[in-house]
Amino acid sequence: MTDEKHCLECGEVILGRSDKKFCSDACRNAYNNRQNKVSVNLIRNTNRHLKKNWRILTDLNATGKTKVHRSKLVKAGFDFDLITGIYTTKKQSVYYFVYDQGYLDIGGGFYMLVKRDV
Ligand SMILES: [Zn+2]
């Protein structure tokens, strides 16, 4: 076998067992620490934006049931990709939730904001 394996961190040729991914403990640690940091940042940023989404819905829905236009949510910085749950009623209405705050697309660019009792 002439297949050469290279360290994922530094690119050096790896000697020894074929299942090794790194040339040394130092390279393995450096690589894993960097991967972990990326995950931590991703999770932190996602959590931050989920919280922002929740805050926007809470602020716009003081009464527990409010009709708003999509542009108002977008202007506030709402990210429609970030939700924590989906609830489909028997009539096939799909509510999207950010924790206890939800919204339903009611057409014409409008959403009905609702609050779930928790
Ligand atoms: Zn290495």
Side-chain angles (χ1 to χ4, degrees), residues 42-80:
L42 175 67
I43 290 167
R44 188 178 289 146
N45 289 336
T46 303
N47 283 342
R48 189 179 294 140
H49 217 118
L50 267 175
K51 197 170 177 184
K52 185 181 177 183
N53 271 2
W54 180 83
R55 170 55 60 195
I56 291 166
L57 293 176
T58 303
D59 287 349
L60 290 175
N61 189 21
T63 62
K65 197 170 186 186
T66 311
K67 182 178 163 185
V68 296
H69 195 264
R70 181 183 174 88
S71 61
K72 204 166 183 178
L73 290 164
V74 171
K75 198 177 169 191
F78 192 81
D79 184 340
F80 287 87

Coordinates of all heavy atoms in Angstrom, one line a residue, residues 42-80:
L42 N -21.2 29.1 16.8 CA -22.5 28.9 16.0 C -23.7 28.9 16.9 O -24.7 29.5 16.7 CB -22.3 27.6 15.2 CG -23.6 27.2 14.4 CD1 -23.9 28.2 13.3 CD2 -23.4 25.8 13.8
I43 N -23.5 28.1 18.0 CA -24.6 27.9 19.0 C -24.9 29.2 19.7 O -26.1 29.6 19.8 CB -24.3 26.8 20.0 CG1 -24.3 25.4 19.3 CG2 -25.2 26.8 21.2 CD1 -23.7 24.3 20.1
R44 N -23.9 29.9 20.0 CA -24.0 31.2 20.7 C -24.8 32.2 19.8 O -25.7 32.9 20.3 CB -22.7 31.8 21.1 CG -22.7 33.0 22.0 CD -21.3 33.4 22.4 NE -20.7 32.5 23.3 CZ -19.4 32.3 23.3 NH1 -18.6 32.8 22.4 NH2 -18.9 31.4 24.2
N45 N -24.4 32.3 18.6 CA -25.0 33.2 17.6 C -26.5 32.8 17.4 O -27.4 33.7 17.3 CB -24.3 33.3 16.3 CG -22.9 34.0 16.5 OD1 -22.8 34.8 17.4 ND2 -22.0 33.7 15.6
T46 N -26.7 31.5 17.2 CA -28.1 31.1 17.0 C -29.0 31.4 18.2 O -30.1 31.9 18.1 CB -28.1 29.5 16.7 OG1 -27.2 29.3 15.6 CG2 -29.5 29.1 16.4
N47 N -28.5 31.1 19.4 CA -29.2 31.4 20.6 C -29.5 32.9 20.7 O -30.6 33.3 21.1 CB -28.5 30.9 21.9 CG -28.5 29.4 22.1 OD1 -29.4 28.8 21.5 ND2 -27.7 28.9 22.9
R48 N -28.6 33.7 20.4 CA -28.7 35.1 20.5 C -29.9 35.6 19.5 O -30.7 36.4 19.9 CB -27.4 35.8 20.1 CG -27.4 37.3 20.4 CD -26.1 37.9 20.0 NE -25.0 37.5 20.9 CZ -23.8 37.1 20.5 NH1 -23.4 37.2 19.2 NH2 -22.9 36.7 21.3
H49 N -29.9 35.0 18.3 CA -30.9 35.4 17.3 C -32.3 34.8 17.7 O -33.3 35.5 17.4 CB -30.5 35.0 15.9 CG -30.9 36.1 14.9 ND1 -30.0 36.8 14.2 CD2 -32.1 36.6 14.7 CE1 -30.7 37.7 13.5 NE2 -32.0 37.6 13.7
L50 N -32.3 33.6 18.3 CA -33.6 33.1 18.7 C -34.2 34.0 19.8 O -35.4 34.3 19.8 CB -33.4 31.7 19.3 CG -33.5 30.5 18.4 CD1 -33.2 29.2 19.1 CD2 -34.9 30.4 17.8
K51 N -33.3 34.5 20.7 CA -33.8 35.3 21.8 C -34.3 36.6 21.2 O -35.3 37.2 21.6 CB -32.6 35.6 22.7 CG -33.0 36.2 24.1 CD -31.8 36.2 25.0 CE -32.2 36.8 26.3 NZ -31.0 36.9 27.2
K52 N -33.6 37.1 20.1 CA -34.0 38.4 19.5 C -35.4 38.1 18.8 O -36.3 39.0 18.9 CB -33.0 38.8 18.4 CG -33.3 40.1 17.7 CD -32.2 40.5 16.7 CE -32.6 41.8 16.0 NZ -31.6 42.1 14.9
N53 N -35.5 37.0 18.1 CA -36.8 36.7 17.5 C -37.9 36.6 18.6 O -39.0 37.2 18.3 CB -36.8 35.3 16.8 CG -36.3 35.4 15.4 OD1 -36.0 36.4 14.9 ND2 -36.2 34.2 14.8
W54 N -37.7 36.0 19.7 CA -38.6 35.9 20.8 C -39.0 37.3 21.3 O -40.2 37.6 21.5 CB -38.1 35.1 21.9 CG -39.0 34.9 23.1 CD1 -40.1 34.0 23.2 CD2 -39.1 35.7 24.2 NE1 -40.7 34.2 24.3 CE2 -40.1 35.2 25.0 CE3 -38.3 36.8 24.7 CZ2 -40.5 35.8 26.3 CZ3 -38.6 37.3 26.0 CH2 -39.7 36.8 26.7
R55 N -38.0 38.2 21.4 CA -38.2 39.5 21.9 C -39.1 40.3 20.9 O -40.0 41.1 21.3 CB -36.8 40.2 22.1 CG -36.9 41.7 22.4 CD -37.7 42.1 23.6 NE -37.3 41.4 24.8 CZ -38.0 41.4 26.0 NH1 -39.2 41.9 26.0 NH2 -37.6 40.8 27.0
I56 N -38.8 40.2 19.6 CA -39.6 40.9 18.6 C -41.1 40.5 18.7 O -42.0 41.3 18.7 CB -39.0 40.6 17.2 CG1 -37.6 41.3 17.1 CG2 -40.0 41.1 16.1 CD1 -36.8 40.8 15.9
L57 N -41.3 39.2 18.8 CA -42.7 38.7 18.8 C -43.4 39.1 20.1 O -44.5 39.5 20.1 CB -42.7 37.1 18.7 CG -42.3 36.5 17.4 CD1 -42.2 35.0 17.5 CD2 -43.2 36.9 16.3
T58 N -42.7 39.1 21.2 CA -43.2 39.5 22.5 C -43.6 41.0 22.5 O -44.7 41.4 22.9 CB -42.2 39.2 23.6 OG1 -41.9 37.8 23.6 CG2 -42.8 39.6 25.0
D59 N -42.7 41.8 21.9 CA -43.0 43.2 21.9 C -44.1 43.6 21.0 O -44.9 44.5 21.3 CB -41.7 44.0 21.4 CG -40.6 44.0 22.4 OD1 -40.9 43.7 23.6 OD2 -39.5 44.4 22.1
L60 N -44.3 42.8 19.9 CA -45.3 43.1 18.9 C -46.7 42.5 19.3 O -47.7 42.9 18.8 CB -45.0 42.6 17.5 CG -43.8 43.3 16.8 CD1 -43.5 42.6 15.5 CD2 -44.2 44.8 16.5
N61 N -46.6 41.6 20.3 CA -47.8 40.9 20.6 C -48.2 41.0 22.1 O -48.3 40.1 22.9 CB -47.6 39.4 20.3 CG -48.9 38.6 20.4 OD1 -50.0 39.1 20.4 ND2 -48.8 37.3 20.6
A62 N -48.4 42.3 22.5 CA -48.7 42.6 23.9 C -50.0 42.0 24.4 O -50.2 41.7 25.5 CB -48.7 44.1 24.0
T63 N -51.0 41.8 23.4 CA -52.3 41.3 23.9 C -52.4 39.8 23.8 O -53.4 39.2 24.4 CB -53.4 41.9 22.9 OG1 -53.2 41.4 21.6 CG2 -53.4 43.4 22.9
G64 N -51.4 39.1 23.2 CA -51.5 37.7 23.1 C -52.1 37.2 21.8 O -52.0 36.0 21.4
K65 N -52.6 38.2 21.0 CA -53.1 37.8 19.7 C -53.1 39.1 18.8 O -53.9 40.0 19.1 CB -54.5 37.2 19.7 CG -54.9 36.5 18.4 CD -56.2 35.7 18.6 CE -56.4 34.9 17.3 NZ -57.7 34.2 17.4
T66 N -52.2 39.2 17.9 CA -52.0 40.4 17.1 C -51.7 40.1 15.7 O -51.0 39.2 15.4 CB -50.8 41.2 17.7 OG1 -50.9 41.3 19.1 CG2 -50.8 42.6 17.1
K67 N -52.4 40.9 14.8 CA -52.1 40.8 13.4 C -51.1 41.8 12.9 O -51.2 43.0 13.2 CB -53.5 41.0 12.6 CG -53.4 40.9 11.1 CD -54.8 41.1 10.5 CE -54.7 41.4 9.0 NZ -56.0 41.8 8.5
V68 N -50.0 41.3 12.3 CA -48.9 42.2 11.9 C -48.6 41.9 10.4 O -48.7 40.7 10.0 CB -47.7 42.1 12.7 CG1 -47.9 42.6 14.1 CG2 -47.1 40.8 12.7
H69 N -48.0 42.9 9.7 CA -47.6 42.6 8.4 C -46.1 42.2 8.4 O -45.4 42.5 9.3 CB -47.6 43.9 7.6 CG -47.5 43.7 6.1 ND1 -46.3 43.8 5.4 CD2 -48.4 43.3 5.1 CE1 -46.4 43.5 4.1 NE2 -47.7 43.2 3.9
R70 N -45.8 41.3 7.5 CA -44.4 40.7 7.4 C -43.3 41.8 7.5 O -42.3 41.6 8.1 CB -44.3 39.9 6.1 CG -43.0 39.2 5.9 CD -42.9 38.5 4.6 NE -41.5 38.0 4.4 CZ -41.2 36.8 4.8 NH1 -42.0 36.0 5.4 NH2 -39.9 36.4 4.6
S71 N -43.6 42.9 6.8 CA -42.6 44.0 6.7 C -42.2 44.5 8.1 O -41.0 44.9 8.3 CB -43.1 45.1 5.8 OG -44.2 45.7 6.4
K72 N -43.2 44.5 9.0 CA -42.9 44.9 10.4 C -41.9 44.0 11.1 O -41.0 44.4 11.8 CB -44.2 45.0 11.1 CG -44.2 46.0 12.3 CD -45.6 46.3 12.8 CE -45.6 47.3 13.9 NZ -47.0 47.6 14.3
L73 N -42.1 42.7 10.9 CA -41.2 41.7 11.4 C -39.8 41.8 10.8 O -38.8 41.8 11.5 CB -41.8 40.3 11.2 CG -43.0 39.9 12.0 CD1 -43.7 38.7 11.5 CD2 -42.7 39.7 13.5
V74 N -39.8 41.9 9.5 CA -38.5 42.0 8.8 C -37.7 43.2 9.3 O -36.5 43.2 9.5 CB -38.7 42.0 7.3 CG1 -37.4 42.3 6.5 CG2 -39.3 40.7 6.8
K75 N -38.5 44.4 9.4 CA -37.8 45.6 9.7 C -37.2 45.5 11.1 O -36.2 46.1 11.4 CB -38.9 46.8 9.7 CG -38.2 48.1 9.6 CD -39.3 49.2 9.5 CE -38.7 50.6 9.7 NZ -39.8 51.6 9.8
A76 N -37.9 44.8 12.0 CA -37.4 44.6 13.4 C -36.2 43.6 13.4 O -35.5 43.5 14.5 CB -38.5 44.1 14.3
G77 N -35.9 43.0 12.3 CA -34.8 42.0 12.3 C -35.1 40.6 12.5 O -34.3 39.8 12.9
F78 N -36.4 40.3 12.4 CA -36.9 38.9 12.6 C -36.3 38.0 11.5 O -36.3 38.3 10.4 CB -38.4 38.9 12.5 CG -39.0 37.6 13.1 CD1 -39.1 37.4 14.4 CD2 -39.4 36.6 12.2 CE1 -39.7 36.2 14.9 CE2 -39.9 35.4 12.7 CZ -40.1 35.2 14.0
D79 N -35.8 36.8 12.0 CA -35.2 35.8 11.1 C -36.2 34.6 11.0 O -36.3 33.8 12.0 CB -33.9 35.3 11.6 CG -33.2 34.4 10.7 OD1 -33.9 33.7 9.8 OD2 -32.0 34.2 10.8
F80 N -36.9 34.5 9.9 CA -37.9 33.4 9.7 C -37.3 32.0 9.7 O -38.1 31.1 9.8 CB -38.7 33.7 8.5 CG -39.7 34.8 8.6 CD1 -39.3 36.1 8.3 CD2 -41.0 34.6 9.0 CE1 -40.1 37.2 8.4 CE2 -41.9 35.7 9.1 CZ -41.4 37.0 8.9

